[in-house]
Amino acid sequence: MFTEDVVSVRELVEFLLRSGDLDNRTGGSVGDMLEGSRLHRMIQESAGEDYAPEVWLTLRYSFPEAEGEAPSDITIEGRADGIFTGSDPKGGETGIYIDEIKTTARRLDRVRRPEPVHLAQAKCYAVMHALGEGLPRIGVRMTYCSRITQKIRYFYFQYDTEELRTWFDGVMAEYARWADLCRRWKAERTASLQQLVFPFSYRPGQKELAGAVYRTIAREKLLFLEAPTGTGKTLTTLFPAAKAMGEGLTSRIFYLTAKTITRTAAEETIGLFREKGAKLRSCTLTAKEKICVLDKPSCNPEDCYRAAGHFDRINDALFDMLTHEEALTRENIEAYAAKYFVCPFEMSLDLALFSDVIIGDYNYLFDPHARLQRFFADGTPRTDAVFLIDEAHNLLDRGRAMYSADLTRSEIGTFRKKIRTLYPELAKRLLSLQRELLKLRRGQEKTAPLTANAKREENYWILEDVDRISERVQEAGREMEDILARERDLDSKSQRDPHLAEKKAIRQEFLDFYFRLSHFGMVAGFLDERYILYAEPAGKDDLSLHLFNVDPSGNLRRCMDRGRSAILFSATFLPIQYYKELLGGTKEDYEIYAHSVFDADREGRFLVRDVTSRYARRGEQQYRKIADCILAITGQRHGNYLAFFPSYAFLQEVADRIAPNPGVITDPGADLPEGSTRILTQTPGMGEKEREQFLENFQTVYQDRSQLGLCILGGIFSEGIDLTSDRLIGAIIVGTGIPQVCAERRIVKDYFDGRGEDGYAYAYRYPGMNKVLQAAGRVIRTREDVGIVALLDDRFLTPAYRKLFPAEWADLEETNTKEVSLRVCRFWDSWL
């Protein structure tokens, strides 16, 4: 905003003139934006012939010379809701008025005066129109319309044009202060990036990769990059993106990932650029739940001591930090937020506006609820942003989850019982929704009955539409928003509400349910041919309704189209055409497979062909055979190993057969004698401290004893962890990682079968193989590492799996449980 020659009125006032408390106790309703637009049109259409709606206004503003490096002039622009000739009904002169329309969920009798920012926006339009038309005086009418009742309340003001001009000059003087800061920074940044050189000697293939990324940005395309560990994905994507910024191709880079550890890698890489002289301001966005000063976020002045007056202090905090820091990390943000007594999360979002690189979760671009409205609000123009999307194989399931929704009849009933005496009208709306769901079930039972012996994955109905249910959801959502608006102003001292304590006790549950309804209503608005609507019956009367975005490519592509270019990269992007198709790529976009720079001989790869994790063959014989095989592999060299299993149940069966063996210690706190093996087991629902302790065990490197971690394939320890050197010398992978059979997986299979693709591969084989490759990738993390990977399942022998192996696995050795110890021993002998 502050580095452009054009600025919108709304951006101007919402940043410079905000004040008061941070308060998020009410939010948008299920369809509040659409409803607001409809009410705007309704008011404008009923205003009469003398009312001119949606009037585009511009003003070329010249700064006084005393402002130094401020731009000599700038264009301010915006669209006034209306301009008309009239007067204040309560008395006053007739004249030209600017009409500013705002819709609200609040009760209008509690709107005693316009919000200062709203009035400031109208005053900007007024001064722009008055100066443009040479008017000595001009009026402002603030129009507030209830989204609940559609009633309207007006506020009228009259101003001398010179009075408005003086006020506006003050606003622009404050603008010049920020513009000076930003323009000075931009000039330094651009000059430094033009001189930036690659911080190391290029590894084989790195220069070509960096060049491909730069060309993709220049040509405004998407690039899907399969880059094995060691290719330096973070460096070879950030460097060309920074050079593109220096050449004016982009003004902002978003580095997006699903894992905290890869955000750290991005911060460290930008730190390397700074060491080479780059002026690059980076901002790391941390989830509200993690950075909040409260145990649980509650952003309002009653619950949070920093929310009161937050907007009165925030701009001073921002200016201070921006003039002293380039690395806007979590720790730095927390320090400045504490100094100025403001919310660190909201401060980080504001800092992003002034940052060259923004580091954060996928949500900030892709999630329709969490995306950064400052950059990607619906209706905003396409930006020149570059999106670097790390570990992008995770984006497929994340994308499906973001754009899918579900409702369960029994959960609605449970919530309705809790609120029926507190909110009778809402209880009626929810009862209507419950009845609609029951009606859906009864109708399906008549037309498409389920057989009594139906398999679990077949226990669902495919639906044509959910229009009537969506209407009931909209009605309940609007009622909940009305309640939130009323109770935002609830004063327990002046209003005697006998249910006040009960309402406060269920407030969080109320909000959670409201957001769930809101999400369902929003997703219902996205429905197209890439969705499958289905319902799952349960018990006598229960029903779960699902809006499943089986192919999220359209939704993800629309998000990436908000910027200039996107680079999606992962160490496990095979088969790359599968990911390219489902993540929003087109035939015009690019894909590259980068070969590993590591010495393939430093990793021993073994396929044990006489064991399997097939469900039909599970039993004592297989569990015992797998347990003995794992001990045979780990017995050839002492050190740290991880073994990955398809489920907790399978893991426990094998663990029970490993435990009785001589030298095996299952107590994680017990001493570890020479020659023994400690078993460390991943458990369901591990907390953050437990996960950290589990990994901490592997920081100890043993030469004369071993540690064996038993983990879940596709779980928290099979991806995104770095145990370099001898901290991990082997990974044993039991099974092909295929997801468990369920309604959703069956729907994916049937959907892609219907499109002429290999539905089984899309639903099961490809997602499973990605887990296998991720787990295998834990072993070799640097050029100095040496280790082994063992695949334990006969299905890996089939061509369907063989073609999914990376090129580096061409020398994979086939063996069996009797010979594997000899093969592994031979590998270690060649290195020790």
Side-chain angles (χ1 to χ4, degrees):
M1 170 173 74
F2 295 107
T3 58
E4 305 300 326
D5 293 329
V6 178
V7 64
S8 75
V9 168
R10 184 167 184 173
E11 287 178 331
L12 189 73
V13 300
E14 287 187 351
F15 181 81
L16 294 178
L17 301 178
R18 53 189 175 171
S19 62
D21 302 336
L22 175 63
D23 196 335
N24 70 347
R25 283 176 290 188
T26 58
S29 68
V30 177
D32 63 338
M33 293 184 67
L34 292 175
E35 180 68 2
S37 298
R38 186 187 70 81
L39 292 174
H40 267 70
R41 292 192 298 271
M42 180 192 75
I43 294 168
Q44 292 165 337
E45 290 169 1
S46 64
E49 294 181 0
D50 293 335
Y51 187 98
E54 303 296 328
V55 180
W56 185 256
L57 299 170
T58 62
L59 174 67
R60 194 69 178 169
Y61 185 87
S62 297
F63 288 89
E65 291 184 9
E67 294 299 331
E69 294 184 34
S72 58
D73 52 62
I74 190 169
T75 297
I76 298 98
E77 62 183 23
R79 195 181 304 277
D81 291 328
I83 299 178
F84 67 96
T85 301
S87 62
D88 185 343
K90 295 180 180 179
E93 59 195 272
T94 299
I96 303 295
Y97 279 82
I98 298 293
D99 192 21
E100 181 66 21
I101 303 170
K102 299 295 181 183
T103 60
T104 180
R106 298 180 64 189
R107 286 171 49 179
L108 290 183
D109 60 351
R110 296 190 179 278
V111 182
R112 297 184 173 88
R113 64 186 66 83
E115 291 287 340
V117 172
H118 297 166
L119 182 57
Q121 188 174 348
K123 288 168 71 175
C124 286
Y125 293 135
V127 71
M128 292 163 69
H129 187 63
L131 292 175
E133 298 295 324
L135 303 176
R137 286 178 64 76
I138 192 168
V140 166
R141 183 176 79 179
M142 293 299 305
T143 301
Y144 283 89
C145 179
S146 169
R147 289 197 297 268
I148 309 302
T149 66
Q150 299 188 11
K151 293 182 179 180
I152 296 174
R153 184 169 188 179
Y154 299 109
F155 297 91
Y156 289 83
F157 303 89
Q158 272 284 335
Y159 300 101
D160 290 330
T161 299
E162 283 306 310
E163 173 190 0
L164 280 178
R165 178 61 185 263
T166 301
W167 170 84
F168 190 70
D169 284 342
V171 173
M172 296 309 295
E174 176 65 10
Y175 175 88
R177 179 173 78 116
W178 292 91
D180 286 345
L181 174 74
C182 294
R183 290 177 189 279
R184 198 177 304 118
W185 173 263
K186 183 180 179 181
E188 294 177 5
R189 180 202 71 192
T190 300
S192 71
L193 293 180
Q194 288 174 347
Q195 300 300 316
L196 180 65
V197 296
F198 199 74
F200 304 109
S201 298
Y202 283 108
R203 296 177 186 171
Q206 275 190 326
K207 191 171 185 178
E208 291 75 15
L209 283 183
V213 171
Y214 186 91
R215 288 190 296 274
T216 302
I217 294 170
R219 296 170 185 172
E220 303 185 35
K221 301 290 185 181
L222 270 60
L223 171 63
F224 293 82
L225 173 60
E226 152 83 18
T229 302
T231 51
K233 298 183 294 295
T234 306
L235 179 58
T236 50
T237 53
L238 269 171
F239 176 74
K243 294 299 290 183
M245 180 176 285
E247 297 301 322
L249 297 179
T250 180
S251 58
R252 191 167 280 113
I253 299 165
F254 288 84
Y255 192 98
L256 304 171
T257 180
K259 304 288 183 181
T260 301
I261 191 169
T262 44
R263 291 171 222 169
T264 302
E267 289 178 338
E268 292 173 348
T269 300
I270 294 168
L272 289 175
F273 296 165
R274 294 193 186 105
E275 291 175 8
K276 295 293 182 179
K279 301 288 287 184
L280 204 59
R281 184 181 288 138
S282 62
C283 177
T284 302
L285 299 178
T286 305
K288 181 187 291 188
E289 291 74 16
K290 292 184 178 180
I291 202 171
C292 183
V293 295
L294 303 179
D295 292 335
K296 190 172 186 178
S298 186
C299 305
N300 66 80
E302 289 185 10
D303 296 333
C304 179
Y305 51 92
R306 292 195 189 182
H310 166 89
F311 290 115
D312 298 329
R313 302 182 295 273
I314 185 61
N315 282 8
D316 287 339
L318 295 173
F319 200 87
D320 188 5
M321 189 168 191
L322 292 170
T323 52
H324 291 93
E325 307 289 347
E326 294 182 24
L328 311 181
T329 60
R330 173 180 176 173
E331 294 74 20
N332 285 342
I333 291 170
E334 287 176 326
Y336 279 84
K339 178 180 177 180
Y340 285 89
F341 216 61
V342 294
C343 170
F345 179 72
E346 290 294 326
M347 183 176 179
S348 70
L349 297 181
D350 283 339
L351 287 167
L353 288 168
F354 301 89
S355 299
D356 309 310
V357 183
I358 298 169
I359 304 166
D361 190 86
Y362 297 155
N363 289 345
Y364 294 114
L365 172 63
F366 295 104
D367 192 303
H369 300 292
R371 78 165 61 110
L372 296 173
Q373 296 298 316
R374 293 160 170 82
F375 304 105
F376 309 126
D378 290 333
T380 55
R382 177 175 179 260
T383 71
D384 68 353
V386 169
F387 306 124
L388 306 181
I389 303 169
D390 198 357
E391 302 292 351
H393 62 275
N394 288 304
L395 185 58
L396 177 53
D397 285 340
R398 286 282 298 274
R400 279 178 174 147
M402 290 173 191
Y403 288 93
S404 299
D406 63 85
L407 283 176
T408 301
R409 185 174 182 272
S410 59
E411 292 178 2
I412 297 168
T414 300
F415 179 72
R416 184 178 66 84
K417 289 176 182 178
K418 292 182 179 181
I419 58 91
R420 60 186 171 188
T421 58
L422 305 178
Y423 307 112
E425 188 59 35
L426 174 59
K428 291 179 184 178
R429 304 285 188 190
L430 294 176
L431 181 60
S432 177
L433 176 56
Q434 279 187 281
R435 287 172 173 167
E436 202 65 57
L437 288 167
L438 183 60
K439 183 179 177 180
L440 172 63
R441 172 167 176 161
R442 295 288 182 256
Q444 291 296 319
E445 286 173 336
K446 290 179 180 179
T447 59
L450 293 168
T451 58
N453 63 347
K455 293 181 180 179
R456 179 66 185 88
E457 66 267 27
E458 297 174 340
N459 198 26
Y460 60 87
W461 294 292
I462 300 296
L463 308 175
E464 291 296 322
D465 65 72
V466 291
D467 294 347
R468 290 181 62 83
I469 290 168
S470 293
E471 290 174 7
R472 302 291 89 79
V473 168
Q474 297 272 356
E475 292 167 358
R478 282 193 287 268
E479 180 63 28
M480 295 187 81
E481 184 182 349
D482 189 19
I483 292 168
L484 288 169
R486 290 198 309 266
E487 296 193 349
R488 177 181 180 178
D489 297 320
L490 187 64
D491 185 348
S492 59
K493 295 181 179 179
S494 61
Q495 299 188 32
R496 297 179 180 178
D497 184 344
H499 300 297
L500 183 62
E502 295 172 80
K503 290 178 178 179
K504 287 185 175 181
I506 67 161
R507 182 171 186 83
Q508 188 57 51
E509 188 174 354
F510 188 100
L511 287 170
D512 291 343
F513 192 83
Y514 166 68
F515 290 131
R516 186 167 181 181
L517 281 187
S518 176
H519 179 69
F520 188 94
M522 179 203 66
V523 170
F526 295 149
L527 298 180
D528 60 15
E529 71 281 358
R530 295 182 176 92
Y531 278 83
I532 295 295
L533 316 181
Y534 71 99
E536 290 183 288
K540 182 180 179 182
D541 295 321
D542 204 9
L543 187 78
S544 292
L545 178 62
H546 302 265
L547 314 180
F548 180 38
N549 190 196
V550 61
D551 176 4
S553 60
N555 287 323
L556 298 177
R557 181 70 192 218
R558 279 190 290 274
C559 294
M560 290 185 284
D561 282 346
R562 298 173 188 271
R564 176 191 182 96
S565 177
I567 314 298
L568 300 93
F569 51 102
S570 169
T572 56
F573 238 0
L574 296 175
I576 203 163
Q577 292 298 333
Y578 161 76
Y579 287 103
K580 184 178 180 182
E581 175 188 355
L582 294 187
L583 296 180
T586 66
K587 292 180 180 178
E588 290 73 33
D589 294 317
Y590 309 138
E591 70 269 1
I592 292 178
Y593 179 86
H595 292 279
S596 175
V597 299
F598 292 153
D599 181 355
D601 292 338
R602 299 182 74 88
E603 183 174 77
R605 305 176 185 91
F606 307 95
L607 195 169
V608 182
R609 58 177 175 260
D610 59 337
V611 293
T612 185
S613 65
R614 297 173 194 265
Y615 190 82
R617 291 174 57 186
R618 293 181 186 180
E620 173 63 28
Q621 181 183 11
Q622 285 298 323
Y623 295 139
R624 173 66 62 187
K625 206 170 185 180
I626 290 170
D628 291 345
C629 183
I630 291 172
L631 290 173
I633 292 170
T634 59
Q636 304 313 305
R637 181 191 170 188
H638 287 301
N640 293 335
Y641 297 85
L642 290 175
F644 298 94
F645 299 88
S647 67
Y648 283 106
F650 199 116
L651 182 157
Q652 194 58 54
E653 292 285 0
V654 175
D656 289 344
R657 288 154 181 82
I658 290 176
N661 283 272
V664 172
I665 296 173
T666 57
D667 181 356
D671 290 335
L672 189 61
E674 182 178 338
S676 62
T677 299
R678 173 184 288 129
I679 304 300
L680 301 164
T681 304
Q682 178 182 347
T683 56
M686 264 183 153
E688 189 170 347
K689 289 184 178 179
E690 293 171 301
R691 295 197 297 268
E692 290 175 356
Q693 182 56 54
F694 184 94
L695 291 175
E696 184 63 30
N697 288 298
F698 289 84
Q699 298 304 315
T700 303
V701 176
Y702 295 104
Q703 302 297 330
D704 56 2
R705 62 206 77 188
S706 297
Q707 294 187 116
L708 172 61
L710 307 182
C711 306
I712 299 301
L713 187 58
I716 52 177
F717 299 119
S718 66
E719 182 175 348
I721 62 169
D722 262 325
L723 296 171
T724 58
S725 187
D726 285 346
R727 293 178 181 87
L728 183 68
I729 63 170
I732 303 161
I733 300 163
V734 180
T736 56
I738 61 172
Q740 291 187 346
V741 175
C742 63
E744 200 168 272
R745 286 290 132 188
R746 177 65 182 271
I747 287 168
V748 172
K749 178 184 179 300
D750 291 346
Y751 176 87
F752 286 104
D753 277 341
R755 282 185 16 180
E757 306 286 357
D758 183 347
Y760 182 85
Y762 276 55
Y764 298 102
R765 190 181 301 119
Y766 295 162
M769 194 61 197
N770 190 276
K771 297 177 188 177
V772 171
L773 294 173
Q774 280 291 328
R778 297 313 95 207
V779 179
I780 303 298
R781 308 301 296 173
T782 72
R783 289 188 173 195
E784 292 72 36
D785 291 352
V786 179
I788 61 167
V789 171
L791 308 181
L792 276 59
D793 200 293
D794 58 2
R795 284 172 287 185
F796 288 118
L797 292 167
T798 64
Y801 279 98
R802 285 278 191 176
K803 70 180 183 180
L804 299 179
F805 289 177
E808 296 75 28
W809 286 17
D811 61 349
L812 183 141
E813 291 186 52
E814 292 182 25
T815 184
N816 57 46
T817 51
K818 292 181 179 179
E819 297 180 359
V820 68
S821 59
L822 179 63
R823 299 289 186 94
V824 172
C825 181
R826 185 185 304 158
F827 170 80
W828 287 123
D829 285 345
S830 68
W831 283 101
L832 298 179

